[in-house]
Amino acid sequence: MPERASIRFYDVKQCGLYRPRARHSTLGSFNEVLHNIYNWATEPGRLILNTCSYEVNDEFDQEFLETYLVSAQMHNETGDYLFCFWNRTHATGDSVYALDAGAQLTNVSEQTFHQGHLPESSIPGFATYFWFIPSKSVMATITFGNPRSGMNAFSYWLENFFRTESRFATFNGQDKFIGYSAPDGSIYDDLEPRFIKSLYRNPSKKQLILSNCQHIRGIVRRINLERGQVADKGLLDSLKNRAGMLTNTEIHEHDISLKYEFTYTPTEREVQEMFSQYETSVVRTNWEDVGFLFPDNNGFGAQKVEWLSKSFAKIKIVVDIEWVLIGQLAKGDILLQTLKAHRSELLNLLDDNVSSLEQRQTA
């Protein structure tokens, strides 16, 4: 089934177990960690309810809830991996789907989903997809319709996996964590899990915006509002009032997409700050973006709206996939095969060929 996918690439700078302030890992590498997760996930009888690497309690201070691994795939030819996760939400209602927590990773099917009156053991949520290319030290998030990539939840899941489930984690007879073990049997108690990545940059696009910032005539901002966030709810209520709606008017979508525009010419320093905030934001989704408005026929090659996201390796393409349940969870093995078919073209994004691939996909 053809589906439009948004793919965003990240440069993986560090992944493994490090001594404080060390630049190189003492134990583990990007590829070793991925293979560890793959082997762990494909152990016979692995249940979804046992694949969240951290606990959520009253002191939990993240903006997400539990994150469960539901599929782990490896491509023998390329060495790439594809992991699918299921991210729990607070969402309720007849339109909400939930996954049976007691299902095995190797047995996830349409029958493991529930809708409407959800069993207590089920997990309401949404799927997220991560493609890893260790040979390039690169990874990518993949989204279908839902703008939430789940990157922050995955990063937290991965760092906790080191401590709780990785082959390096060592425990005493009372199941108390005592450190990380090396192949020679040595135990390290001074190592810290580290997963550091950044959006893969397209330097030429960023330079185009910066070099011509004096010609910017306005800013366009796209954000997502979550009703579960206090600040977002306040803004949403204010917008409802301005539209003549009651604040208790129900809007069915969990996330509300908002786009606004204003006339302004930022300084180069302000543009640099916008780049920095965009790249380091902990709540950014694929929808969220900053656009810079330039005059038509400007003479220096800028589009009428230059989106900040285009300064990074990101693309929307049509791919053939199969669904476990339409719109809820894609089959990981089929998705990885599809990515293999597009692999050469997609990796060209890392060589600043964003526009040429976009033109081919939209022609």
Side-chain angles (χ1 to χ4, degrees):
M1 177 182 294
E3 295 286 350
R4 193 166 180 81
S6 295
I7 303 176
R8 185 191 299 260
F9 284 92
Y10 291 79
D11 181 13
V12 178
K13 299 180 181 300
Q14 294 183 334
C15 183
L17 294 162
Y18 295 73
R19 285 195 168 94
R21 297 180 297 279
R23 297 180 60 185
H24 302 286
S25 65
T26 300
L27 295 175
S29 66
F30 188 31
N31 190 60
E32 286 179 308
V33 171
L34 294 173
H35 200 65
N36 186 182
I37 295 172
Y38 172 78
N39 287 335
W40 174 81
T42 53
E43 289 177 356
R46 176 73 63 191
L47 302 180
I48 290 173
L49 62 87
N50 294 326
T51 63
C52 184
S53 62
Y54 56 89
E55 294 184 0
V56 175
N57 51 40
D58 292 340
E59 286 75 41
F60 193 70
D61 60 356
Q62 302 293 330
E63 81 277 7
F64 46 81
L65 299 175
E66 293 96 333
T67 305
Y68 299 89
L69 181 64
V70 296
S71 175
Q73 308 294 329
M74 180 181 68
H75 198 286
N76 290 326
E77 180 183 340
T78 63
D80 295 355
Y81 295 83
L82 191 285
F83 296 160
C84 308
F85 286 84
W86 187 256
N87 302 68
R88 182 191 287 273
T89 70
H90 288 297
T92 58
D94 292 341
S95 63
V96 175
Y97 281 92
L99 191 59
D100 184 353
Q104 296 183 15
L105 269 70
T106 55
N107 195 34
V108 175
S109 66
E110 186 174 349
Q111 285 68 44
T112 59
F113 284 87
H114 305 285
Q115 186 182 24
H117 299 291
L118 305 180
E120 185 176 347
S121 63
S122 64
I123 311 166
F126 61 94
T128 52
Y129 310 90
F130 300 88
W131 177 29
F132 303 91
I133 308 100
S135 62
K136 301 284 187 181
S137 295
V138 166
M139 66 173 292
T141 59
I142 304 170
T143 58
F144 302 97
N146 188 338
R148 292 173 289 183
S149 70
M151 175 57 88
N152 296 319
F154 167 72
S155 299
Y156 191 81
W157 183 95
L158 179 57
E159 291 186 354
N160 281 276
F161 178 86
F162 279 110
R163 303 183 183 93
T164 58
E165 304 291 348
S166 76
R167 66 183 181 86
F168 304 106
T170 303
F171 304 86
N172 62 18
Q174 289 73 46
D175 288 333
K176 181 181 179 181
F177 176 78
I178 58 174
Y180 298 100
S181 59
D184 63 3
S186 304
I187 303 295
Y188 294 87
D189 61 4
D190 61 341
L191 301 183
E192 59 184 30
R194 200 178 296 172
F195 175 57
I196 298 177
K197 78 289 179 192
S198 63
L199 286 166
Y200 212 102
R201 297 175 182 272
N202 179 355
S204 61
K205 182 67 70 172
K206 180 178 180 180
Q207 192 57 49
L208 173 69
I209 296 172
L210 286 172
S211 298
N212 298 283
C213 60
Q214 70 275 18
H215 298 291
I216 295 173
R217 294 295 176 261
I219 306 295
V220 183
R221 188 71 170 97
R222 299 194 317 202
I223 62 174
N224 270 323
L225 301 180
E226 292 193 34
R227 289 180 295 175
Q229 300 291 328
V230 175
D232 287 1
K233 184 179 184 304
L235 177 55
L236 181 58
D237 287 345
S238 177
L239 292 172
K240 287 179 182 178
N241 278 328
R242 287 182 174 271
M245 302 165 59
L246 298 175
T247 57
N248 61 356
T249 300
E250 182 67 19
I251 298 178
H252 296 292
E253 294 295 328
H254 178 66
D255 287 351
I256 310 299
S257 298
L258 174 65
K259 178 181 177 180
Y260 57 93
E261 177 182 327
F262 52 89
T263 301
Y264 181 66
T265 301
T267 65
E268 181 176 345
R269 181 176 178 180
E270 287 174 323
V271 174
Q272 290 275 22
E273 182 64 22
M274 291 179 197
F275 271 88
S276 177
Q277 288 189 7
Y278 179 84
E279 183 172 356
T280 60
S281 171
V282 297
V283 296
R284 186 184 61 255
T285 66
N286 284 339
W287 160 259
E288 297 188 15
D289 213 336
V290 179
F292 301 93
L293 299 175
F294 286 98
D296 291 332
N297 304 317
N298 48 68
F300 45 83
Q303 300 293 319
K304 183 176 181 180
V305 181
E306 288 287 356
W307 293 102
L308 197 155
S309 63
K310 296 296 179 64
S311 299
F312 304 96
K314 172 187 174 183
I315 194 67
K316 291 184 179 181
I317 65 171
V318 176
V319 296
D320 285 320
I321 65 170
E322 293 183 19
W323 293 101
V324 176
L325 180 63
I326 293 178
Q328 301 302 315
L329 178 65
K331 293 183 178 180
D333 56 343
I334 303 300
L335 178 54
L336 184 55
Q337 289 292 340
T338 298
L339 292 170
K340 166 61 170 59
H342 292 274
R343 192 175 189 268
S344 296
E345 287 181 294
L346 290 170
L347 292 184
N348 281 341
L349 290 172
L350 310 184
D351 297 321
D352 295 343
N353 290 330
V354 178
S355 58
S356 61
L357 181 56
E358 282 183 329
Q359 289 168 4
R360 289 197 298 272
Q361 288 293 328
T362 56

